[in-house]
Amino acid sequence: MKRIFIWCFLSGWMGISYAQTVTVVDQLTEKPLEGVALISERPRASAVTNAIGQTEISEFANAEKIEVRSLGYKTLVVSYDQIESFNFEIELEQSSLVLDQVVVSATRWRQTSDNVPSRIVSIPPEEIAFHNPQTAADLLGISGMVFIQKSQQGGGSPMIRGFATNRLIYTIDGVRMNTAIFRGGNLQNVINLDPFATENTEVLFGPGSVIYGSDAIGGVMSFQTLTPQFSLTGKPLISGKAITRYSSANDEHTGHLDVHIGWKKWALVTSFSSWDYDHLRQGRFGPDDYIKNIYPRWQDSMDVIITQDDPLLQIPSAYSQINLMQKVRFKPNEKWDLRYGFHYSVTSPYGRYDRHNRFRNGTLRYAEWNYGPQLWMMNNLSLSHREGNAVYDQLNLSLAWQSFEESRIDRSLNSDERNTQTENVEAYSVNLDFTKSKGSKNTLYYGAEFVLNDVTSKGILTDISTGRQQDGPSRYPQSVWISVAAYLNDELRVSDKLTLQAGLRYNRFMLDADFSSNVAYYPFPFTTADIRNGALTGSIGGSYRPSESWVIKAGFGTAFRSPNVDDVGKVFDSEPGSVTVPNPDLEAEYAYNFDLGIAKVFGDAVKIDLTGYYTMLQNALVRRDFQLDGLDSILYDGQMSRVQSIQNAAVATVFGVQTGIEVKLPAGFRLVSDLNYQLGKEELDDGSVSPSRHAAPLFGISGLRYQYDNLMLELNAIYQGKKSYDNLPMEERAKDEIYAKDANGNNYAPSWTTFNLKTSYRLSEKLSISGGLENVTDRRYRPYSSGISGPGRNFILSFKARF
């Protein structure tokens, strides 16, 4: 009887329904198009074409309206019957001037952007391949809408609408990457991601807490990695690509390989990437303040100051990295889709260049200040089900386990004591998301989330002359951070022209921290801390499309950030002469945001989009002077330092404008420009106001592109406006190691522009070459708030082979 039951269950599970395949091709070249999205509301279904431009569309049967969308092509709206009359082959017409696209970051589900009130920018794989970004941080930068700060070559901290780090969200295949030790300073975790293994990248601007919870104040960065593809014929589908790349500014040697194997019900994708970067060379022409022509070396049992042969090399900045990804997908029938993903990334140790630029008593402050190997591993299991019952049309269950390791290693010049602090975070998450159509005009998106972060931190003091080790102060307390939430988002299509959205989320967060391991080193008046609190956030907005050529969007939303372990329990030197210590008495900060955006296409020749926004952050978690057991200064790292802590002590505001223009010119030319301006203000202790640290100066990118047949060329300019001393945040003004000096000897961030030439050429169906000359004028420049200069004149050459 048991065997009969199992056989019946497997028969139902493995049942095969009628399958119908459609092929999507370029109307002009007739080449198959990969990554084209097909979306239907009734029945609710979505599909994406594989490497040979095919996808299975049985679930679209009888649909009267199927939207066929791909970046760079006009959206086509057809019925299933029409596709059948086309003999199941769809031709798309090229056009870069489109107002909508397929996105997933707004609700975790595939939908069209013209139904979303928020501004969303997509970076397709074609753009990634053309621009050749070295890291995932550089990938975000090519959008022209995200400002990237770097403290070292092995880094990249995005700034969006005046917010950064733990006020932004990173997701990978829908899984939250933010951990309980994401700090308010600058982060480099985004480099864990592999640009070569990225299928699509989206940036949602503004609050996203209804869907993503804590930290989603300034925006959401959503990375979708390569998806295993099924065979739609009787033969296995085998495809992939191999890439090699060289860059001259840092002697980059990079290699990548990914392989897809697909059968009817099973599919696999394997991806491997390796990067090796030497010390980064900066440009010849620019501020001399950015040049440091010495570095320390441990030699003959002592620290020796070495004078560089090439003063433009930024030593130490070299590092290497490897990434591995393995995905498995099983789809027994139209209703069920099971996916497993394994991700692994590890870097070599690398120097934090800005700390190596600090001086004390006329010489270098540090002999060592390095990050140890940065490790990230993720196991992700997701299950999707399409049913169309009373509770849901589609269900997605995602289980994830992530493991993070990072460390900091520092030693003062001529000191035998090396301090090593190592942090490990085990992050567990469960996401259960549903979508349900209520009639033809109303769609509900709802779900629940559970997140747990287990943080361990350890400090080791090493006498480098004897090798003797002993326990030292840890950076964080041993901690557990938990978030539990439920959300509901409602999309109402009032008419073909107007769509409204509204959502609510309740989040409960808990933190338990044990400081007992650090009491021996610091005079803490407490040994434990716990936080139990909740946050209710919401959003409402609409998208109005008077005609096919323009769209108006408006939205109001709230967002929050709960205190994490970094806020409550960190001990570190934030700036020379100051030390930040734990504060267990913290509450969540709240943001209130309003957006208004307009986009218009003029005569299939010009597209203009403009978005204005205003954000107010209340109860802001900021660093302020503090007393520790009655002391306003303590001895830290051999120096009497002013005591500070993170406190709910300020109101901050940011307003700004994001604008873009695209002009289709004759003979295959196209002009594209994106510009961003934001102004942030933060309240200080005495009631005065300071510019916000993460509100970048004016920045953008403008380019002229030419495309003909298999050739693509682009000349672009990337630029940043000036930040004078008076416009620098108060906490930034004393950082001599970062900024240039003005005529009065004060720190400031100069304006700069780099000119860059990019090109790609498809030699055949399988082989292509790309490259470029970046920073043609060899400009010495440093992005605002960065501790390392950008690359000087840089020659790039890359080969890609597809199979």
Side-chain angles (χ1 to χ4, degrees):
M1 184 68 184
K2 181 178 180 181
R3 291 181 179 179
I4 294 174
F5 171 78
I6 293 173
W7 181 85
C8 292
F9 173 78
L10 291 175
S11 297
W13 177 267
M14 303 287 286
I16 301 175
S17 60
Y18 172 74
Q20 180 58 62
T21 301
V22 67
T23 303
V24 184
V25 300
D26 184 292
Q27 185 185 70
L28 184 64
T29 66
E30 297 186 351
K31 293 176 181 176
L33 298 177
E34 182 181 1
V36 178
L38 290 80
I39 297 179
S40 165
E41 294 293 341
R42 294 184 65 83
R44 187 165 185 85
S46 64
V48 178
T49 58
N50 62 17
I52 57 175
Q54 294 182 341
T55 189
E56 200 274 320
I57 60 168
S58 299
E59 59 193 30
F60 291 84
N62 301 318
E64 296 181 358
K65 183 181 179 182
I66 301 173
E67 298 180 1
V68 186
R69 299 174 180 269
S70 181
L71 280 176
Y73 291 87
K74 287 185 177 179
T75 297
L76 181 66
V77 180
V78 293
S79 67
Y80 187 89
D81 291 341
Q82 285 177 303
I83 295 178
E84 189 173 17
S85 70
F86 299 155
N87 294 321
F88 294 97
E89 181 172 298
I90 297 174
E91 297 181 349
L92 291 185
E93 180 184 352
Q94 293 185 11
S95 176
S96 59
L97 303 178
V98 293
L99 293 177
D100 50 14
Q101 56 194 321
V102 177
V103 296
V104 297
S105 57
T107 60
R108 295 184 187 272
W109 296 96
R110 215 175 275 279
Q111 62 184 141
T112 57
S113 61
D114 54 1
N115 292 331
V116 180
S118 302
R119 181 187 180 103
I120 300 177
V121 170
S122 291
I123 308 172
E126 296 81 9
E127 286 297 302
I128 297 173
F130 180 70
H131 285 280
N132 279 301
Q134 291 190 339
T135 68
D138 299 331
L139 184 160
L140 291 166
I142 67 176
S143 69
M145 295 293 195
V146 179
F147 189 88
I148 303 298
Q149 180 276 350
K150 291 187 179 184
S151 296
Q152 63 280 329
Q153 185 175 203
S157 188
M159 296 183 182
I160 299 176
R161 290 189 171 187
F163 297 101
T165 60
N166 55 17
R167 290 177 179 139
L168 303 174
I169 279 281
Y170 305 81
T171 69
I172 299 88
D173 294 333
V175 177
R176 174 191 180 96
M177 192 182 193
N178 293 46
T179 71
I181 63 171
F182 266 38
R183 55 191 180 271
N186 298 303
L187 292 168
Q188 63 268 11
N189 298 72
V190 72
I191 70 168
N192 289 330
L193 308 179
D194 182 356
F196 295 116
T198 300
E199 193 169 74
N200 192 53
T201 303
E202 296 175 14
V203 182
L204 181 149
F205 295 93
S209 281
V210 168
I211 303 298
Y212 295 98
S214 178
D215 305 2
I217 292 177
V220 177
M221 291 160 284
S222 172
F223 298 86
Q224 302 293 320
T225 59
L226 297 174
T227 302
Q229 300 173 349
F230 296 109
S231 172
L232 300 176
T233 66
K235 299 180 180 180
L237 173 66
I238 301 176
S239 64
K241 62 180 180 289
I243 298 172
T244 183
R245 186 175 66 209
Y246 170 79
S247 298
S248 63
N250 53 6
D251 196 26
E252 175 198 11
H253 292 82
T254 288
H256 167 79
L257 175 68
D258 65 68
V259 180
H260 299 251
I261 305 176
W263 297 271
K264 282 287 188 179
K265 298 178 182 296
W266 290 89
L268 311 171
V269 59
T270 302
S271 171
F272 176 79
S273 299
S274 173
W275 299 265
D276 185 73
Y277 306 109
D278 205 342
H279 303 299
L280 180 63
R281 182 189 181 279
Q282 59 186 326
R284 293 175 58 200
F285 307 105
D288 291 338
D289 306 287
Y290 296 157
I291 294 178
K292 176 182 70 72
N293 63 350
I294 57 174
Y295 65 93
R297 177 189 293 170
W298 181 253
Q299 183 174 301
D300 299 327
S301 300
M302 62 184 297
D303 288 321
V304 178
I305 303 298
I306 304 296
T307 300
Q308 298 175 197
D309 294 331
D310 183 355
L312 299 181
L313 282 180
Q314 299 176 96
I315 302 176
S317 59
Y319 82 104
S320 60
Q321 180 174 336
I322 61 170
N323 273 56
L324 173 67
M325 183 185 77
Q326 177 64 60
K327 284 188 170 184
V328 182
R329 186 180 179 189
F330 175 56
K331 191 174 183 180
N333 53 45
E334 291 181 15
K335 292 186 176 182
W336 294 94
D337 193 347
L338 184 67
R339 307 185 188 197
Y340 167 74
F342 171 78
H343 302 258
Y344 179 81
S345 173
V346 64
T347 72
S348 66
Y350 51 92
R352 179 166 171 177
Y353 187 72
D354 62 340
R355 293 300 175 96
H356 281 273
N357 276 355
R358 285 189 176 177
F359 283 74
R360 184 172 66 180
N361 300 326
T363 189
L364 294 173
R365 168 72 174 85
Y366 292 104
E368 303 175 38
W369 211 117
N370 304 315
Y371 287 109
Q374 180 172 293
L375 184 148
W376 170 64
M377 181 182 70
M378 181 171 79
N379 291 273
N380 178 29
L381 179 66
S382 66
L383 175 69
S384 297
H385 183 227
R386 299 175 184 270
E387 181 60 35
N389 56 38
V391 179
Y392 63 85
D393 295 328
Q394 297 179 63
L395 168 154
N396 189 73
L397 173 65
S398 176
L399 310 174
W401 164 41
Q402 298 179 83
S403 183
F404 300 83
E405 179 176 306
E406 57 187 58
S407 56
R408 294 160 178 80
I409 305 144
D410 68 85
R411 182 174 63 85
S412 296
L413 190 71
N414 298 322
S415 170
D416 291 337
E417 185 176 83
R418 176 188 292 134
N419 178 32
T420 302
Q421 294 178 318
T422 303
E423 286 72 55
N424 294 91
V425 181
E426 301 299 318
Y428 308 91
S429 62
V430 180
N431 288 90
L432 184 60
D433 300 296
F434 303 90
T435 178
K436 177 64 181 176
S437 294
K438 308 292 289 184
S440 61
K441 295 182 177 295
N442 198 17
T443 303
L444 297 177
Y445 304 93
Y446 62 100
E449 179 184 69
F450 172 82
V451 180
L452 185 150
N453 284 191
D454 187 1
V455 179
T456 58
S457 184
K458 185 175 180 59
I460 296 291
L461 298 177
T462 304
D463 187 323
I464 63 172
S465 62
T466 65
R468 182 168 174 255
Q469 292 187 339
Q470 64 182 28
D471 289 341
S474 62
R475 181 177 173 89
Y476 296 114
Q478 315 311 307
S479 309
V480 174
W481 182 88
I482 296 176
S483 170
V484 182
Y487 75 91
L488 171 66
N489 195 72
D490 188 10
E491 178 185 296
L492 177 64
R493 289 171 292 282
V494 179
S495 67
D496 290 340
K497 296 182 177 181
L498 177 63
T499 301
L500 301 178
Q501 279 199 22
L504 284 174
R505 178 189 183 103
Y506 180 72
N507 221 112
R508 189 74 182 170
F509 51 88
M510 294 146 275
L511 189 153
D512 291 291
D514 182 357
F515 295 87
S516 57
S517 62
N518 268 351
V519 170
Y521 306 102
Y522 306 113
F524 295 156
F526 47 81
T527 58
T528 62
D530 65 90
I531 294 177
R532 302 287 188 275
N533 217 326
L536 179 67
T537 54
S539 65
I540 186 170
S543 177
Y544 177 60
R545 194 155 188 173
S547 69
E548 288 297 316
S549 64
W550 68 305
V551 62
I552 303 171
K553 298 185 178 187
F556 173 78
T558 62
F560 79 99
R561 186 173 78 83
S562 64
N564 64 15
V565 177
D566 186 85
D567 299 311
V568 172
K570 178 172 60 179
V571 179
F572 83 115
D573 56 331
S574 56
E575 57 189 3
S578 297
V579 58
T580 299
V581 300
N583 179 11
D585 301 317
L586 296 177
E587 299 176 353
E589 57 184 12
Y590 280 86
Y592 303 86
N593 178 84
F594 177 74
D595 267 72
L596 178 62
I598 300 174
K600 171 71 173 173
V601 173
F602 298 89
D604 199 30
V606 178
K607 182 177 78 171
I608 297 177
D609 59 77
L610 178 68
T611 301
Y613 59 90
Y614 175 83
T615 306
M616 180 173 64
L617 186 66
Q618 290 190 329
N619 221 22
L621 292 163
V622 294
R623 193 167 61 243
R624 292 287 184 264
D625 288 346
F626 190 65
Q627 287 194 346
L628 186 61
D629 201 23
L631 302 174
D632 60 10
S633 296
I634 62 173
L635 188 66
Y636 181 81
D637 197 18
Q639 179 178 358
M640 284 302 296
S641 301
R642 184 174 71 255
V643 175
Q644 296 183 323
S645 72
I646 303 296
Q647 303 173 42
N648 295 107
V651 173
T653 60
V654 181
F655 74 87
V657 175
Q658 297 172 298
T659 182
I661 183 170
E662 188 171 345
V663 181
K664 185 178 180 181
L665 301 171
F669 286 93
R670 181 161 60 99
L671 178 67
V672 180
S673 184
D674 290 293
L675 186 67
N676 305 265
Y677 173 78
Q678 51 269 304
L679 182 64
K681 298 291 183 181
E682 181 182 299
E683 181 184 16
L684 299 179
D685 267 349
D686 59 4
S688 61
V689 174
S690 167
S692 295
R693 177 183 178 186
H694 292 129
L698 177 82
F699 72 95
I701 179 171
S702 301
L704 178 66
R705 179 173 293 188
Y706 171 76
Q707 187 168 2
Y708 176 74
D709 198 17
N710 294 325
L711 174 67
M712 187 183 298
L713 291 167
E714 179 177 293
L715 176 64
N716 66 49
I718 302 174
Y719 41 87
Q720 172 200 288
K722 172 184 173 181
K723 270 238 182 198
S724 67
Y725 176 79
D726 292 335
N727 287 325
L728 281 180
M730 293 296 294
E731 60 186 306
E732 293 289 290
R733 294 180 181 179
K735 295 181 179 179
D736 296 334
E737 68 270 22
I738 288 179
Y739 296 103
K741 298 291 185 181
D742 63 17
N744 298 317
N746 295 320
N747 291 326
Y748 84 115
S751 61
W752 53 263
T753 301
T754 65
F755 296 98
N756 313 279
L757 180 65
K758 303 280 186 175
T759 183
S760 69
Y761 185 76
R762 182 155 49 179
L763 301 169
S764 67
E765 287 293 325
K766 303 296 185 182
L767 186 63
S768 61
I769 182 172
S770 63
L773 186 62
E774 297 181 335
N775 194 1
V776 175
T777 60
D778 210 13
R779 176 77 176 173
R780 187 183 309 134
Y781 70 98
R782 186 168 291 185
Y784 162 72
S785 192
S786 293
I788 190 169
S789 299
R793 186 180 295 124
N794 185 30
F795 173 73
I796 302 171
L797 183 63
S798 176
F799 292 93
K800 179 168 71 173
R802 302 180 70 96
F803 56 90

